[in-house]
Each structure stands twice: as structure tokens, then as C-alpha cells.
Amino acid sequence: MAVVNKDPYAKPVLIGGLVVIGAAALVLVSSLFHTISRNSTVGAQDNTMAVAAAADNIKPIGTVVTVDKSVAPVARTGEQVYTAVCTSCHTAGVLNAPKPDDKAAWEPRVAKGLKGLLTSATNGLNQMPAKGGDPSLTDQELTDAIVYMTAKAGFDLSKEAQAAAPAGGAAPAAAATQAAPAAQGAAPAAQAAGGNGEKTYRSACFACHDAGVANAPKLGDKAAWGPRIANGMDTLYTHSLTGFNAMPAKGGNAALSDDDVKAAVDFMVSQGK
């Protein structure tokens, strides 16, 4: 029978290995319990959803906007009204509209007095639409525009305007601008920027095209716009820029850029297709 030699180091190595493994297991278990203890909250309850639901239940159904009715809108001056509304016809004398500096044309009209001029401007006369086609104009703004135009022609209606103003009311806004020299050009107050066609239309073209003055095709009238569109956009641009029949160049507002006028044509054509 063979004799097996025993390794004197086998037992100590085995025991040492078991000790190392046990120590490692102990460290791992201790670390696990420490992590659980650090990241847990004893006795706390997660109420996140309950808080969100409560906030949703008590949020306002709507909002209320208060307006101070004691603050009146700022009135436009006579020059601003003329530039935004009246210039389309009066600058070029469309359909015999008296030009601002044409004293002879204004003389028989001024003879009616400010009240008569205001009545004609408010209700419309011949081809001129009521309030120049802008129903938002107030009586005071319309009065100031008349005083401004007649002042450029050499007539002073400011005293009549002051007499007609309500007691304690402010003097007509046109009084501050009536002394402007006739040769001074009015800067466009509502001129469209960046070629905005609709804004240009509302500021310069609407006076004739809304009411069909002098057979101007009304906005949205497909039957009237059809044959004009058939002539091509280049022809429409040329007519608008240089004038055609009773329509003055650039609708009577020479301060408009070519791009603005073309944009307004594009807008009207888009509504007439």
C-alpha cells in the first residue's frame, strides 16, 4: 500500500482562504445595509401626486383683466389723419378732390364753413366715402384733418373749430400743425414696413378700393379683378407705380416704396382670385 505524503502547508492555506472570504463577505453585507439605511426615509410618505392633484383642484378657472375706462385713447392730429386716410385722394386730386395747397379749389368749399365741411366729410359727398373710408375716425379727428388741409391752402378755420369744441375741451390738435408750409411733404404715418401688403393697402389703397371709387376694383371682387389679373402682374405693378386712368401713382402716396406698392398689389390680387 502506497504512503501519501501530507503537505504541511495545505491546512493553514485553506484556513487563511476561508478567513479572507468570510471577511470580504462581511464587508459586502455591511456596505449593503449602510447604503439601504442612508437612502431610505423611515416613516415618510410620498405625497407628490396628492400635492399635484390639490394644486390642480384649486387653480383659477379663468382670469379677469381690468380696464381703466378713465384713460381715453390718444387722438390723432390733423396731419396724422390726413397722412393715413386723406392723402390717397387729396394729394393727387383724384376725382376733383381738392389738393391741400389748391386755394382756388378750397375757396367755394370753405365758404360752407367748418360745419358744412364736417358734414360732407362725415357722411360722404359724391365719390368721397364717409369719413374718407375710415369709420374709426372721431368727429374731433375729422375736424382736425379739415383744419389742417384748409390751413395748407391758406384758410384759418381753427377759431371755428375751437368755438365748436366742447366747453373745457382741448384745442384742436391740428392747430399745432396748421402753420406747416405747403411745400413740406407729410411723412406717412401708417406706411407699411418690410413690404407688408395688407398694411399698405389699409393705409393707402382702401380709400378707393373699398368703395370702388372711379371704378377702382373693390377688394375681393373677383369679377372686377379677373381681367386685370389676366394682364399679368408686371402690368399691375406698372399701373400702380406710375398711375393709371384716375388712379394716381402709388395711390397718391409718393412716400411709399416700390416694394410696398407691389406688396399691396399682391395682397389685392390674392383677395381677388
Side-chain angles (χ1 to χ4, degrees), residues 20-201:
V20 171
I21 293 173
L26 182 63
V27 170
L28 289 175
V29 171
S30 176
S31 177
L32 176 63
F33 279 102
H34 178 70
T35 301
I36 294 174
S37 175
R38 186 179 59 183
N39 291 289
S40 64
T41 304
V42 179
Q45 182 178 0
D46 185 3
N47 61 350
T48 304
M49 298 299 293
V51 171
D56 185 65
N57 288 335
I58 64 174
K59 71 180 181 180
I61 297 175
T63 57
V64 177
V65 179
T66 59
V67 178
D68 187 355
K69 294 186 177 180
S70 65
V71 180
V74 178
R76 289 168 285 184
T77 66
E79 183 177 5
Q80 290 173 331
V81 172
Y82 170 79
T83 301
V85 181
C86 315
T87 186
S88 298
C89 294
H90 284 276
T91 297
V94 175
L95 294 175
N96 295 320
K99 297 180 181 180
D101 57 352
D102 190 342
K103 185 172 184 177
W106 276 105
E107 194 164 11
R109 294 171 169 86
V110 172
K112 300 177 182 179
L114 178 60
K115 184 176 181 180
L117 289 171
L118 181 60
T119 299
S120 297
T122 301
N123 301 323
L125 181 67
N126 298 328
Q127 295 293 328
M128 179 180 67
K131 293 188 175 182
D134 185 354
S136 70
L137 288 177
T138 65
D139 289 346
Q140 185 62 63
E141 288 175 329
L142 204 55
T143 298
D144 291 344
I146 293 170
V147 172
Y148 173 77
M149 284 190 285
T150 53
K152 290 176 74 69
F155 300 96
D156 185 3
L157 298 181
S158 59
K159 292 181 180 179
E160 289 186 52
Q162 289 174 347
T177 59
Q178 66 180 3
Q184 181 180 352
Q191 185 179 148
N196 189 316
E198 184 174 3
K199 289 180 68 176
T200 302
Y201 173 83

Side-chain angles (χ1 to χ4, degrees), residues 148-259:
Y148 173 77
M149 284 190 285
T150 53
K152 290 176 74 69
F155 300 96
D156 185 3
L157 298 181
S158 59
K159 292 181 180 179
E160 289 186 52
Q162 289 174 347
T177 59
Q178 66 180 3
Q184 181 180 352
Q191 185 179 148
N196 189 316
E198 184 174 3
K199 289 180 68 176
T200 302
Y201 173 83
R202 300 298 176 195
S203 68
C205 314
F206 76 96
C208 293
H209 286 278
D210 270 8
V213 175
N215 295 321
K218 294 183 180 180
L219 186 68
D221 187 342
K222 296 182 180 180
W225 276 101
R228 292 172 167 84
I229 294 174
N231 291 331
M233 294 303 295
D234 287 341
T235 299
L236 289 175
Y237 291 150
T238 299
H239 288 171
S240 299
L241 292 170
T242 62
F244 184 69
N245 294 332
M247 179 180 66
K250 295 187 175 182
N253 189 347
L256 288 174
S257 70
D258 290 358
D259 288 341

